[in-house]
Amino acid sequence: MSLVCQRCQQAKATVHITDTVPDKRELHLCEDCAEKEGVIIKQHHQSTNEILQQLIKHKAGLGAAGDLACPNCGMTVREFQLKGQLGCSHDYEAFKELLTQLIERAHEGATHHVGKVPATAGETVRKHAGLLRLRRELQEAVEQENYEHAARVRDQIQALESV
Amino acid sequence: MTIDELTPTTGEWLRGVGSMSDVVISSRIRLARNLADRPFLATASATERTEIYRCLTDAITSTSAGSDALLVDIEQTDTLDREVLVERHLVSRQHANGDGSRGVTISPDETRALMINEEDHLRIQALRSGLELEALWEEVSGVDDTLAKRLAFAFDRQFGYLTACPTNVGTGIRVSVMLHLPALKLTKEIERVARAARDMHLAVRGMHGEGTDALGDLYQLSNQTTLGKTEEEIIGVFSETIVPKIVEYERTARDSLAQHSPYQLDDKIWRAYGILVNARRIGSEETQALLSPIRMAIHMERFTSMSVAALNELLLHTQPAHLQKLHGKTLEGEQRDIVRAEYLRSRLAPSP
Ligand SMILES: [Zn+2]
Ligand SMILES: [Zn+2]
């Protein structure tokens, strides 16, 4: 038996709930209405593949962009789109333009790492990461009008830059 | 230590202790890492895959990262044992069902599991019951440091740690908190959780359920972005902001049910118990659904016939792979439901 959603009276009911607490109820709803009624949580998260496909569509069809290949592993953009996974770490360089846009979309606009750096990474990498983190901290301090803290961070930046 | 020895115990994620454990079942942190000079798994040949496996297992088992760990070569492990690891939250389902050379090292207390050749070369996982994210971060970061002394991980000054999927790039961190929210479901307020999560750019999904409904009223909250924030900032959103807020929502909803619908609430609890004690055949999903109001009732001090520890043991041991392992042989679906009901009666029925 296929029920129609009790709320919108249109879509097929796929969420079925019977309960006695706090009220006796039997609910047969479609997913959208069940979410509006507060009884289920629907997924809104866009997958990488969806974001990627949208991006590629914007670029007026796959064409030449799809044939772009990594010189190290041979993976092409088209293959990446199919698999949703990159072929090697050099792909980040080979597909940099496309990946930067994709990464920006997937990470709330961020394009730079500010977290942990491997303890064994070269001094320049550590310095670079430290500066990025401090500059962001400075920006936040200024936005929050915490000038005392901002001055301290600015001094730290200058000290690190002169190393 | 072997998988056979692990099976009769309850496992870390169901220990039922830790901060806010009346609502927070468990917390978990995973870090994704890849070896710098090897291809990612999408393009690695079978030989390269095996080399990556050897290289990582050598580094793990010869350092404090896993010198006391159980090493499971998943490719050589039978299906039932793989399922046991999934039910104990020690490997992802994707890892259990995958292809080719792959494995996991498991610490004796099951708090630490290092997955080798899952989607990335390495996933460092730490898991504890309750909300214990700071301790988990210290643990995974320590393992990362230990291994980084012997292995070079793929790292880029702009993008950070490089991962097979660009959605994990940067910190490579995935923080997940499993919440038990039966009262919010009953009071139709689950949408508040979804909204709070969306505001913080977190994903929330029901656990294990076949459809969209959350099985056993268990929900998993996890971060979606891994770049542009420090690990501490990503963790802080959970431990300081969103989890305490949702815990408060759930506690308020429980109080409200107790105050406004005590008879309906007790009726639901005791009917659930009645079915668990008397059923002659029962499925795994129904068992999990019925244990949910009982878990809530124990924490609300409305139900004293069972402890949280006993309930957690039932929850794990009635899942298909554990049930069959403990029974000592594989069972067909129908037979499994009968054995599950017998098991529940033997554990719950008052002794004559
Ligand atoms: Zn509807
Ligand atoms: Zn490549």
Side-chain angles (χ1 to χ4, degrees):
Chain A
M1 186 186 68
S2 158
L3 283 169
V4 171
C5 172
Q6 291 171 340
R7 195 168 178 274
C8 65
Q9 305 288 342
Q10 280 171 357
K12 197 178 146 205
T14 52
V15 179
H16 310 282
I17 288 171
T18 50
D19 253 314
T20 48
V21 191
D23 321 297
K24 221 182 181 86
R25 64 175 176 183
E26 205 171 299
L27 287 173
H28 304 281
L29 302 167
C30 71
E31 268 185 39
D32 286 331
C33 290
E35 187 179 36
K36 284 180 199 132
E37 283 284 309
V39 291
I40 67 156
I41 291 178
K42 254 184 83 176
Q43 285 307 307
H44 294 276
H45 182 45
Q46 241 187 339
S47 75
T48 328
N49 256 339
E50 286 165 347
I51 300 175
L52 188 73
Q53 268 157 20
Q54 277 182 8
L55 267 179
I56 287 170
K57 237 183 259 163
H58 276 300
K59 288 180 170 280
L62 215 49
D67 293 327
L68 188 63
C70 166
N72 185 57
C73 72
M75 168 82 86
T76 64
V77 167
R78 191 176 282 109
E79 282 169 333
F80 167 53
Q81 187 199 1
L82 283 174
K83 291 185 179 170
Q85 289 187 20
L86 295 164
C88 79
S89 55
H90 299 272
D91 297 12
Y92 282 94
E93 197 52 50
F95 311 151
K96 191 159 187 172
E97 199 195 324
L98 181 76
L99 282 180
T100 304
Q101 292 179 47
L102 173 67
I103 285 168
E104 222 176 331
R105 289 274 299 276
H107 297 276
E108 297 170 58
T111 51
H112 286 74
H113 176 61
V114 293
K116 185 174 176 175
V117 172
T120 47
E123 203 48 51
T124 45
V125 175
R126 301 181 60 73
K127 181 176 159 182
H128 178 79
L131 281 173
L132 269 180
R133 189 162 38 229
L134 287 170
R135 289 205 189 102
R136 208 169 51 106
E137 208 176 317
L138 176 64
Q139 193 186 343
E140 270 168 26
V142 171
E143 276 165 14
Q144 290 163 10
E145 302 185 4
N146 187 349
Y147 298 113
E148 213 173 296
H149 184 60
R152 252 196 323 268
V153 175
R154 187 202 54 213
D155 292 346
Q156 285 177 309
I157 291 173
Q158 282 169 354
L160 190 58
E161 276 172 340
S162 64
V163 172
Chain B
M1 188 175 68
T2 61
I3 295 178
D4 286 350
E5 285 163 19
L6 286 181
T7 311
T9 65
T10 316
E12 173 59 28
W13 75 275
L14 284 170
R15 230 150 41 85
V17 297
S19 175
M20 304 186 197
S21 59
D22 57 329
V23 179
V24 181
I25 304 287
S26 63
S27 30
R28 182 183 80 196
I29 297 185
R30 278 185 191 159
L31 279 187
R33 296 290 184 260
N34 288 280
L35 297 174
D37 47 358
R38 309 272 184 170
F40 290 160
L41 297 170
T43 55
S45 66
T47 318
E48 284 169 325
R49 210 184 153 100
T50 306
E51 280 169 18
I52 295 164
Y53 179 78
R54 288 219 192 94
C55 174
L56 282 164
T57 49
D58 281 353
I60 294 165
T61 53
S62 59
T63 60
S64 60
S67 51
D68 58 348
L70 165 70
L71 168 64
V72 182
D73 180 341
I74 295 183
E75 205 184 5
Q76 305 299 327
T77 302
D78 71 42
T79 320
L80 200 56
D81 281 353
R82 289 179 195 179
E83 273 305 305
V84 166
L85 298 179
V86 175
E87 288 174 2
R88 298 180 85 80
H89 293 194
L90 294 169
V91 304
S92 61
R93 183 163 298 281
Q94 182 192 347
H95 198 43
N97 300 341
D99 287 308
S101 187
R102 66 196 190 284
V104 61
T105 65
I106 301 163
S107 68
D109 64 358
E110 294 182 71
T111 55
R112 184 188 295 178
L114 278 59
M115 280 180 268
I116 302 144
N117 287 349
E118 198 228 29
E119 183 180 293
D120 291 295
H121 296 161
L122 179 65
R123 290 265 167 98
I124 305 168
Q125 164 176 301
L127 171 79
R128 284 181 200 235
S129 63
L131 185 68
E132 301 293 340
L133 292 172
E134 277 71 22
L136 292 176
W137 167 238
E138 211 171 289
E139 176 159 7
V140 292
S141 186
V143 171
D144 179 37
D145 291 341
T146 302
L147 293 174
K149 283 183 195 136
R150 297 178 55 119
L151 306 163
F153 291 133
F155 184 86
D156 174 83
R157 61 193 281 171
Q158 180 185 342
F159 291 128
Y161 289 96
L162 301 177
T163 50
C165 182
T167 48
N168 299 320
V169 82
T171 57
I173 198 171
R174 192 71 61 201
V175 178
S176 304
V177 175
M178 203 205 291
L179 300 155
H180 184 229
L181 306 174
L184 287 172
K185 171 81 177 292
L186 286 171
T187 55
K188 297 200 219 172
E189 292 173 293
I190 273 296
E191 172 57 19
R192 295 178 78 187
V193 176
R195 212 178 312 130
R198 257 202 305 280
D199 289 348
M200 309 301 292
H201 299 278
L202 303 178
V204 55
R205 62 179 185 89
M207 290 291 293
H208 305 309
E210 296 248 314
T212 48
D213 206 10
L215 186 58
D217 304 315
L218 295 173
Y219 294 84
Q220 182 165 284
L221 192 65
S222 49
N223 64 305
Q224 298 182 69
T225 59
T226 53
L227 185 74
K229 293 175 214 158
T230 65
E231 293 83 352
E232 287 83 359
E233 287 170 326
I234 292 170
I235 291 164
V237 168
F238 285 83
S239 53
E240 281 149 39
T241 312
I242 191 157
V243 176
K245 192 184 205 172
I246 295 175
V247 167
E248 203 43 53
Y249 289 166
E250 171 66 20
R251 286 178 181 161
T252 306
R254 288 181 189 183
D255 288 347
S256 155
L257 287 173
Q259 205 182 344
H260 299 114
S261 342
Y263 288 100
Q264 292 95 321
L265 184 60
D266 285 337
D267 186 62
K268 185 176 176 76
I269 295 160
W270 284 97
R271 278 171 188 271
Y273 186 68
I275 294 172
L276 290 169
V277 180
N278 291 297
R280 266 27 184 192
R281 16 172 256 179
I282 189 165
S284 165
E285 299 208 348
E286 186 181 3
T287 306
Q288 293 193 50
L290 293 170
L291 287 172
S292 172
I294 296 177
R295 176 188 299 280
M296 170 171 71
I298 296 170
H299 286 296
M300 292 172 78
E301 292 170 2
R302 296 183 88 82
F303 188 84
T304 51
S305 307
M306 208 192 295
S307 67
V308 176
L311 180 136
N312 283 338
E313 196 177 305
L314 293 181
L315 182 68
L316 186 65
H317 290 170
T318 55
Q319 291 186 37
H322 276 81
L323 187 78
Q324 295 175 75
K325 284 284 280 187
L326 293 170
H327 192 69
K329 62 174 190 225
T330 55
L331 302 162
E332 294 304 313
E334 173 76 0
Q335 194 60 33
R336 227 184 281 168
D337 290 353
I338 295 169
V339 169
R340 184 178 290 109
E342 280 167 2
Y343 171 81
L344 284 166
R345 289 205 307 282
S346 75
R347 301 302 298 269
L348 293 176
S351 31

